[in-house]
Amino acid sequence: MQNRSERDTFADMYASRLARLWAVERGLVFGRLDHVEEGRLYIGKLGMTDDEQERLLIDWRAPVAQPFYRATPAAPMGLTRRRHLQTRGRTVVGVDDDLLDFDALTDDDRATLNGEAALLAALGERRTGRMRDIVATIQAEQDKVIRSDLNGVLVVQGGPGTGKTVVALHRAAYLLYTHRERLERRGVLILGPNLTFLRYIEQVLPSLGETDVLLSAVGELYPGLTATARERPEVAAVKGDLRMAEVIARAVRDRQRVPRRPVELNLGRYTLTMDRKMLESAAAKAARSRRPHNQARAVFVRSLLNALARQAARQLGKGLIDEDELGDLREELRTEPVVRSALNRLWPYLTPQRLLLGLYGSPERLGHAASVLTAGERALLRRDGARGGEWTESDVPLLDEAAELLGEIDEQVLRASALAAEEELAAARQAEEHEREAELAYAREVLELTGLSDVMEAERLAERQRGDGPRLTTAERAAADRTWAYGHVIVDEAQELSPMAWRAVMRRVPNRSMTIVGDIAQTGSAAGARSWAEVLDPYVAGRWRQERLTVNYRTPVELMEVAARVLATIDPGLEPPRSVRDSGASPWAAPMAELPRIVAEEVAAGGKVAVVAPDALLTSLGETLEGAVVVAPGAGRGRGAEALDAPVAVLGVTDAKGLEFDAVVVVEPELICAQSPRGVSDLYVALTRATQRLGVVHDRPLSDALRDLPRRSGSAAPTPAQPGNGRPPGKT
């Protein structure tokens, strides 16, 4: 076992190292720092040394690499120059210099200065349908967020294009590097708004050398279930309301029945009666146990069986009986079908799914459990049998709440034969527990003897020795365990989470080490946040801090001016982020009939193109564009991650949130505004997805904010901006 554990440990270590090296191959080295005193240091995605342990490459997360992101001409931090390297494979294809201290440069240094800033070059690149890392172009305000302390709750508030998401991902990589021992064991969870978004960001962390982070959407938080269906806004608002916690709690209590009339059990030879006093006593004992419903059932059942056994003994004329006889009678009663049926009616085993379906499908149960809701709200929760098995994203937090109150069902009890005694089951469980404890003690001894106790957990080694099953990563084990407690949780597009979803998230991070990323102005969900204080004060009042990202790197000035007019209609006091560049292409408007031609022209102009439309038009628009535009199959399928790989993505606002494209065509803005109570926020999101070109097609009249858009003339597409053109940011 010792040799096997050593082999497995080294195999895991080298496999993990190889995975990281392969993942960071693209752009492994991206920078150089020229120090006044220390000479040159090369910066990359991983730290590397040569055979003599001489430092070849500095990990971008190391403290010594911080000046690469923080140094300015006003505060050079001991640097004369910061050099950005562009590579293709292992060949350097471009060099950009940021001059920080001209007086300290040598004549040779002055002769080799290079011009265009790496940031503008990166901003001007065409999009690929996947988010890329920004490790070579992190800006000072972003670096401050990335390197913020692990402990506590950090809120990152930023408008469109400020890099909130990519900063949060780089923060995950930084925290794993800085607190590896603490976080690798418990894992890091990154929670995104939907599966399309998760696919969009899935390559960022592996490209930074981190391959064991769990990416999940709210619809995947309940193990074994991936809920992608969405509710109507008014239904989502009810299911996301905090009152639903009380509704679920009442629904559980309602299934713990104490009937007013006695329950008679006809067993042929005699008839037993469960009166109200007996039932209330059993229910009180179960309540005092403070166990979840399914575990408390054992207390309830045992109390009733004991009482029934004594009642049966009296009817059989046995008088006082000892514990052995009482146990025999109790087990005899347990096997009687009429007794089992009665116990299951009084206190049934329940799964979260069964509880919710029973609640949604019964007006009577809804009327009692959901009395805290209005009659109209209860009607919105009603679900007929035909839709019974279709779970939505809004249902997942409710399933999680129910699971917390119900607890796990003891599978051993469910599989036990009717003749198996409770004591025998308890003895078997005790023997199994002793065996596991012995295995765990032996595993600890092996790890201590081999000096590997800091590398591998004893629990994991003991688990391996029980069989040759698949070896799961931390992320895989966490995904399968609803009760897993993460070391750190990052919530992106956090403004969209409902109060019930926040309850589910907080259960997974009891240490409250979190990074929360979002923009209140972009809240589109009817159950979403109106302020960060409203969300966080119930859990961490006075113990959360906020950082703001104020610079818009994605959206050019011309496009942001249009979006800013829409933002002012949401709240005149809101300020849009400051764009650092212009594109040279003005936003435009055109009639709906022109859409196929316009999309074809935008595809020909180059880059990724998105058509963002009201949900009601997605199917018809997809069919129209697939028939009229020569693009890859699946370009017009509307929702779904496959749209990221097509030349044209046809998306609703919910799926487009957090994504970016070279060109965006927004369809019928007024319908987008009308499709939900926060439709204006949705329009603001749609107008800020483009990095180069933006247009609006419509038949309905435009609002005042968009009415002045110039008409798109003829068939000439706007000229795309060339990389590097436009206004440079202040630090170039």
Side-chain angles (χ1 to χ4, degrees):
M1 287 184 68
Q2 177 177 331
N3 291 338
R4 181 177 178 179
S5 69
E6 290 177 354
R7 177 204 67 188
D8 291 351
T9 299
F10 282 109
D12 276 356
M13 181 177 69
Y14 289 125
S16 176
R17 179 66 174 170
L18 279 171
R20 290 180 179 178
L21 290 173
W22 282 116
V24 301
E25 175 74 8
R26 181 181 181 273
L28 174 62
V29 187
F30 56 79
R32 190 184 83 190
L33 295 178
D34 292 0
H35 283 267
V36 175
E37 298 178 354
E38 299 179 29
R40 294 172 175 174
L41 296 176
Y42 285 89
I43 311 298
K45 293 181 177 180
L46 286 181
M48 301 184 74
T49 60
D50 61 17
D51 291 340
E52 284 72 42
Q53 300 304 305
E54 289 293 328
R55 191 166 54 184
L56 297 175
L57 191 60
I58 303 297
D59 193 300
W60 68 276
R61 296 164 287 189
V64 72
Q66 192 166 334
F68 188 79
Y69 305 108
R70 298 282 185 92
T72 66
M77 301 177 71
L79 300 183
T80 59
R81 173 173 52 187
R82 171 176 46 225
R83 171 160 287 184
H84 299 268
L85 305 172
Q86 292 89 49
T87 59
R88 184 176 295 116
R90 300 190 179 188
T91 302
V92 177
V93 296
V95 177
D96 293 317
D97 286 324
D98 291 335
L99 178 60
L100 299 170
D101 189 347
F102 189 81
D103 293 336
L105 292 178
T106 66
D107 291 339
D108 288 341
D109 288 335
R110 290 189 179 95
T112 58
L113 284 175
N114 285 271
E116 184 180 55
L119 175 63
L120 283 180
L123 294 177
E125 289 181 353
R126 289 179 176 174
R127 271 43 190 174
T128 64
R130 295 291 188 279
M131 178 177 280
R132 294 170 291 194
D133 67 73
I134 60 166
V135 66
T137 57
I138 294 171
Q139 301 301 291
E141 73 169 5
Q142 297 172 330
D143 187 68
K144 181 182 178 183
V145 171
I146 290 170
R147 298 176 191 270
S148 184
D149 188 61
L150 168 68
N151 297 317
V153 176
L154 172 65
V155 175
V156 183
Q157 164 69 35
T162 53
K164 300 182 299 296
T165 297
V166 73
V167 165
L169 295 172
H170 284 67
R171 174 164 169 75
Y174 170 78
L175 293 177
L176 282 164
Y177 172 85
T178 309
H179 306 279
R180 179 77 62 187
E181 184 176 347
R182 177 175 170 182
L183 293 181
E184 205 164 40
R185 177 175 299 181
R186 299 311 309 168
V188 174
L189 168 67
I190 296 179
L191 193 65
N194 54 59
L195 298 181
T196 304
F197 178 85
L198 295 182
R199 187 172 179 188
Y200 178 65
I201 68 172
E202 66 184 358
Q203 296 175 0
V204 175
L205 281 169
S207 75
L208 297 173
E210 300 299 340
T211 56
D212 193 17
V213 174
L214 178 62
L215 303 182
S216 176
V218 172
E220 298 178 298
L221 275 182
Y222 191 83
L225 178 67
T226 299
T228 57
R230 296 186 181 125
E231 303 279 10
R232 303 192 315 274
E234 60 272 22
V235 180
V238 175
K239 290 186 175 181
D241 194 289
L242 203 56
R243 291 174 295 166
M244 287 301 298
E246 177 60 24
V247 171
I248 300 299
R250 289 188 181 188
V252 173
R253 292 195 296 269
D254 284 350
R255 305 303 291 272
Q256 302 164 358
R257 296 182 56 199
V258 178
R260 295 181 178 181
R261 296 182 179 180
V263 178
E264 292 191 349
L265 304 173
N266 187 350
L267 300 176
R269 292 179 298 163
Y270 50 83
T271 298
L272 302 179
T273 301
M274 292 188 289
D275 59 27
R276 186 172 181 82
K277 181 179 179 181
M278 183 191 302
L279 292 168
E280 288 179 344
S281 174
K285 289 178 182 178
R288 286 197 299 271
S289 73
R290 297 185 179 278
R291 299 178 185 177
H293 171 90
N294 288 324
Q295 278 80 58
R297 182 184 189 275
V299 178
F300 178 81
V301 167
R302 186 178 181 88
S303 176
L304 286 181
L305 288 176
N306 281 336
L308 289 173
R310 292 189 180 92
Q311 190 180 133
R314 288 194 297 271
Q315 292 195 27
L316 293 172
K318 292 187 176 183
L320 294 175
I321 58 176
D322 59 25
E323 283 298 319
D324 289 339
E325 291 176 305
L326 181 66
D328 291 341
L329 263 177
R330 187 173 60 235
E331 290 309 316
E332 182 181 334
L333 290 172
R334 188 195 297 272
T335 64
E336 290 287 348
V338 65
V339 175
R340 290 204 312 270
S341 176
L343 293 176
N344 286 334
R345 288 196 308 272
L346 293 169
W347 198 299
Y349 275 121
L350 290 171
T351 64
Q353 292 91 330
R354 181 180 173 188
L355 178 76
L356 280 191
L357 290 177
L359 179 65
Y360 293 157
S362 169
E364 181 182 354
R365 285 177 178 158
L366 267 177
H368 191 270
S371 59
V372 294
L373 304 179
T374 67
E377 290 170 329
R378 292 195 293 272
L380 291 173
L381 293 178
R382 275 286 283 124
R383 178 184 291 183
D384 57 38
R387 296 175 54 240
E390 182 185 9
W391 298 108
T392 68
E393 293 176 356
S394 301
D395 287 321
V396 169
L398 304 185
L399 290 169
D400 195 74
E401 186 79 20
E404 195 73 11
L405 296 174
L406 294 173
E408 298 295 327
I409 296 177
D410 190 337
E411 296 291 340
Q412 206 168 13
V413 170
L414 293 180
R415 293 194 302 266
S417 68
L419 297 176
E422 185 176 283
E423 288 79 4
E424 292 175 353
L425 293 177
R429 286 196 290 270
Q430 188 175 12
E432 183 180 350
E433 184 63 28
H434 286 324
E435 183 179 354
R436 288 181 179 272
E437 288 177 358
E439 291 173 349
L440 187 58
Y442 183 78
R444 289 195 185 102
E445 184 179 350
V446 169
L447 292 175
E448 289 174 3
L449 289 172
T450 57
L452 297 174
S453 56
D454 293 334
V455 178
M456 174 178 279
E457 299 174 5
E459 291 84 352
R460 188 177 178 189
L461 176 60
E463 188 177 298
R464 286 186 179 181
Q465 307 312 320
R466 295 185 193 115
D468 292 320
R471 298 171 190 169
L472 302 180
T473 65
T474 299
E476 289 169 333
R477 287 184 289 137
D481 186 352
R482 193 194 65 82
T483 63
W484 189 274
Y486 292 90
H488 192 77
V489 171
I490 294 174
V491 185
D492 204 348
E493 299 293 346
Q495 74 278 355
E496 301 301 328
L497 267 63
S498 69
M500 289 302 298
W502 279 112
R503 285 174 66 89
V505 170
M506 291 298 179
R507 289 190 191 101
R508 287 156 174 78
V509 55
N511 66 351
R512 299 297 190 257
S513 176
M514 304 178 72
T515 302
I516 294 171
V517 180
D519 179 17
I520 295 297
Q522 295 186 63
T523 303
S525 170
R530 290 173 174 81
S531 73
W532 296 124
E534 175 188 73
V535 168
L536 296 174
D537 282 349
Y539 303 100
V540 286
R543 293 182 288 124
W544 58 277
R545 62 195 189 277
Q546 179 171 303
E547 295 286 351
R548 288 184 175 273
L549 297 177
T550 60
V551 180
N552 187 336
Y553 300 100
R554 176 204 300 145
T555 316
V557 171
E558 300 93 333
L559 280 57
M560 200 61 210
E561 287 175 350
V562 175
R565 296 199 294 267
V566 174
L567 179 64
T569 67
I570 301 172
D571 183 347
L574 295 174
E575 292 187 10
R578 176 176 56 87
S579 297
V580 300
R581 64 191 179 98
D582 52 35
S583 67
S586 298
W588 46 264
M592 274 288 292
E594 298 288 315
L595 180 62
R597 176 184 63 80
I598 288 171
V599 171
E601 291 175 355
E602 292 293 347
V603 171
K608 300 290 292 185
V609 179
V611 176
V612 182
D615 292 344
L617 299 183
L618 288 175
T619 301
S620 61
L621 283 177
E623 294 171 352
T624 298
L625 292 178
E626 283 184 338
V629 182
V630 181
V631 294
R637 291 179 184 172
R639 292 175 179 160
E642 70 276 359
L644 297 175
D645 298 321
V648 178
V650 181
L651 299 168
V653 178
T654 300
D655 280 321
K657 189 160 291 188
L659 311 185
E660 59 183 38
F661 304 89
D662 295 278
V664 171
V665 180
V666 179
V667 176
E668 292 292 7
E670 295 312 299
L671 281 181
I672 291 177
C673 291
Q675 72 181 2
S676 76
R678 296 186 176 179
V680 181
S681 294
D682 285 342
L683 178 58
Y684 178 60
V685 170
L687 294 171
T688 54
R689 299 304 95 199
T691 65
Q692 302 292 345
R693 309 184 300 277
L694 172 69
V696 170
V697 295
H698 66 102
D699 285 334
R700 294 169 177 257
L702 296 176
S703 65
D704 292 342
L706 302 178
R707 193 167 295 155
D708 294 336
L709 287 177
R711 308 304 289 180
R712 180 170 175 134
S713 60
S715 60
T719 303
Q722 297 302 312
N725 289 351
R727 282 201 299 252
K731 66 175 293 185
T732 8

